[in-house]
Amino acid sequence: MTRDLALVVISLFAWGIGEGAFTFFQTLYMETLGATPVAIGGILGAWGLAMALTQLPAGYLTDRFGPRPLMWFSWIMGTLAVALMASAHTLTGFVTGLVIYGLTSSVLAPMNTYITAARGTWTPARALSVASASFTLGAALGPMVGGFIAQNWGLRHIYLFGFVTFVISTLLVLFIRPIVPTQPAPIPASLRNLPLNRRFLYLLGFNALGIFALYLAQPLTPNFLTAYHHVTMEQIGLFGSLCSLGTTVLSLLFGHLQPTSGANIGLTTGILFVLLIWLGRSPWWFGVGYFLLGGFRFYRAMILAWARSLVNDRQVGSAFGLIETINALGIVVSAGLAGWLYQHSPLSVYWVALILGTGTLFISHRLGAIEHYRPAPMLVTNQGED
């Protein structure tokens, strides 16, 4: 592992602890501030829309100016957004901070571009999966801490804890060096050619369906478990830790596979999560379900690795930006549908998610059967100035 990749990996570990401390409690906290299930779905939709609006511009700017300045900006803005969430005493104030936090997800395209460029002798899939595993290992610790804090001092304090860890993460990422291609290609030509890449466009369409299906059952499951199965805050925190641990284990076990196979594994574990939450009757089964939900982040990493094999070096930022835009739009639509379904019948969320997930897995097998994984030639990179 190179020096710069190690700094990013350690920084992601710290960020994972902070984000993990509050992520699985977001909908519960919004509920305490007066939000209904439909309102929660709308808020998460706005959050997803904020993510969607930034991804493609961030990808283009990454190809134009390099990933490091955008990473610095997003890390700093994310830290300030969580400070706003921690200081908010009303739903409006909290949602403002949450939407700003969504805007900083623009870091995904530059960060993943940086990871694949700074990977040294590693493959893109291995570098992305190790970085994902580092984040989720931290995120496995965060929910346990968050559950303890929420149970003893209230939900608002988990955002204060998140702010402290984000400051540490930001200080670490400020020490990374820029990555500059040795043979820069003209940006306009790269952007003109990307929409003509049919294999990449097929992947975009498939990923849209996959994200929609995999996210549908996620946002309101903590509310469902606390309302209908009397799960405690500490147990929700433990489930969140198991989810992140699941991502770590899957990434380390299967990160070496071809991305097509990795995507199938992520879809399968997402379907099993839905079944266990829907049919489970004890915290043990819910915990297993959340462990398998870790395949959601693993699936996203494998989609990026898959896309990396379909584009050239000077299209990576734009390609990743398009994928993250699709991811965010999928979350917008999926969260809105989840809130509407939950308001009418909580259990309907799970059977709809099961049907969609199964159909997506079938398509994935068909797509993988005709897709020949041909890694694109990689340009050598070195260190330079932004």
Side-chain angles (χ1 to χ4, degrees), residues 300-314:
R300 293 178 65 168
M302 290 299 100
I303 290 294
L304 292 174
W306 189 344
R308 184 62 188 87
S309 71
L310 305 179
V311 299
N312 67 53
D313 281 358
R314 295 299 292 182

Side-chain angles (χ1 to χ4, degrees), residues 203-220:
L203 179 61
L204 281 181
F206 161 72
N207 183 54
L209 182 59
I211 289 294
F212 181 85
L214 288 174
Y215 188 74
L216 182 63
Q218 293 186 43
L220 287 162

Side-chain angles (χ1 to χ4, degrees), residues 366-384:
R366 296 287 296 173
L367 184 61
I370 62 175
E371 171 64 36
H372 298 289
Y373 180 59
R374 300 191 298 266
M378 308 292 293
L379 293 177
V380 177
T381 58
N382 62 5
Q383 306 296 337

Side-chain angles (χ1 to χ4, degrees), residues 22 25-51 77-78 80-104 156 159:
F22 61 75
F25 301 95
Q26 300 250 73
T27 55
L28 292 170
Y29 190 45
M30 285 188 275
E31 194 173 56
T32 66
L33 293 174
T36 65
V38 171
I40 290 173
I43 291 168
L44 293 177
W47 170 66
L49 183 60
M51 292 194 299
M77 286 301 297
L80 295 176
V82 172
L84 179 58
M85 293 159 72
S87 62
H89 293 278
T90 65
L91 182 62
T92 300
F94 177 82
V95 171
T96 301
L98 182 64
V99 171
I100 294 174
Y101 190 70
L103 290 171
T104 64
R156 179 171 171 267
Y159 294 94

Side-chain angles (χ1 to χ4, degrees), residues 130-177:
V130 167
S132 176
S134 176
F135 173 82
T136 53
L137 182 60
L141 300 174
M144 290 189 289
V145 178
F148 177 80
I149 293 173
Q151 195 75 27
N152 291 277
W153 294 289
L155 286 166
R156 179 171 171 267
H157 287 81
I158 60 179
Y159 294 94
L160 295 172
F161 173 79
F163 170 73
V164 173
T165 58
F166 282 10
V167 169
I168 296 171
S169 177
T170 300
L171 291 175
L172 286 168
V173 87
L174 290 176
F175 285 97
I176 63 171
R177 295 172 296 186

Side-chain angles (χ1 to χ4, degrees), residues 36-386:
T36 65
V38 171
I40 290 173
I43 291 168
L44 293 177
W47 170 66
L49 183 60
M51 292 194 299
L53 292 174
T54 60
Q55 301 302 330
L56 192 54
Y60 172 80
L61 292 174
T62 297
D63 287 337
R64 189 70 183 271
F65 300 110
R68 190 177 71 158
L70 294 161
M71 292 172 68
W72 284 356
F73 175 79
S74 296
W75 249 267
I76 292 170
M77 286 301 297
T79 301
L80 295 176
V82 172
L84 179 58
M85 293 159 72
S87 62
H89 293 278
T90 65
L91 182 62
T92 300
F94 177 82
V95 171
T96 301
L98 182 64
V99 171
I100 294 174
Y101 190 70
L103 290 171
T104 64
S105 73
S106 59
V107 74
L108 293 173
M111 180 187 71
N112 290 320
T113 301
Y114 189 92
I115 289 169
T116 59
R119 72 188 189 281
T121 59
W122 287 7
T123 65
R126 186 182 182 194
L128 288 166
S129 60
V130 167
S132 176
S134 176
F135 173 82
T136 53
L137 182 60
L141 300 174
M144 290 189 289
V145 178
F148 177 80
I149 293 173
Q151 195 75 27
N152 291 277
W153 294 289
L155 286 166
R156 179 171 171 267
H157 287 81
I158 60 179
Y159 294 94
L160 295 172
F161 173 79
F163 170 73
V164 173
T165 58
F166 282 10
V167 169
I168 296 171
S169 177
T170 300
L171 291 175
L172 286 168
V173 87
L174 290 176
F175 285 97
I176 63 171
R177 295 172 296 186
I179 298 294
V180 177
T182 58
Q183 303 175 32
I187 292 295
S190 297
L191 290 179
R192 283 198 302 269
N193 292 335
L194 192 58
L196 303 178
N197 188 334
R198 184 173 296 181
R199 294 169 68 203
F200 177 71
L201 294 180
Y202 286 157
L203 179 61
L204 281 181
F206 161 72
N207 183 54
L209 182 59
I211 289 294
F212 181 85
L214 288 174
Y215 188 74
L216 182 63
Q218 293 186 43
L220 287 162
T221 288
N223 304 63
F224 174 74
L225 293 179
T226 54
Y228 292 92
H229 293 284
H230 310 293
V231 170
T232 67
M233 293 289 183
E234 287 184 313
Q235 287 174 321
I236 293 293
L238 178 60
F239 297 158
S241 295
L242 288 171
C243 177
S244 298
L245 182 62
T247 303
T248 302
V249 171
L250 290 170
S251 297
L252 295 178
L253 286 179
F254 302 115
H256 67 283
L257 295 179
Q258 290 189 353
T260 50
S261 299
N264 288 337
I265 290 173
L267 288 167
T268 301
T269 56
I271 292 170
L272 292 174
F273 162 75
V274 173
L275 282 171
L276 288 169
I277 298 298
W278 184 14
L279 302 177
R281 292 295 181 269
S282 74
W284 291 100
W285 288 114
F286 302 146
V288 173
Y290 265 98
F291 179 86
L292 293 172
L293 181 60
F296 178 67
R297 286 196 184 106
F298 177 69
Y299 165 85
R300 293 178 65 168
M302 290 299 100
I303 290 294
L304 292 174
W306 189 344
R308 184 62 188 87
S309 71
L310 305 179
V311 299
N312 67 53
D313 281 358
R314 295 299 292 182
Q315 294 174 319
V316 175
S318 298
F320 285 1
L322 277 170
I323 289 172
E324 297 300 346
T325 299
I326 293 297
N327 291 346
L329 290 174
I331 288 173
V332 170
V333 180
S334 192
L337 178 61
W340 184 84
L341 289 172
Y342 191 94
Q343 184 84 359
H344 291 79
S345 173
L347 289 178
S348 66
V349 175
Y350 300 99
W351 63 257
V352 171
L354 181 62
I355 293 171
L356 290 173
T358 304
T360 305
L361 181 60
F362 174 78
I363 295 172
S364 179
H365 278 291
R366 296 287 296 173
L367 184 61
I370 62 175
E371 171 64 36
H372 298 289
Y373 180 59
R374 300 191 298 266
M378 308 292 293
L379 293 177
V380 177
T381 58
N382 62 5
Q383 306 296 337
E385 298 299 327
D386 281 335

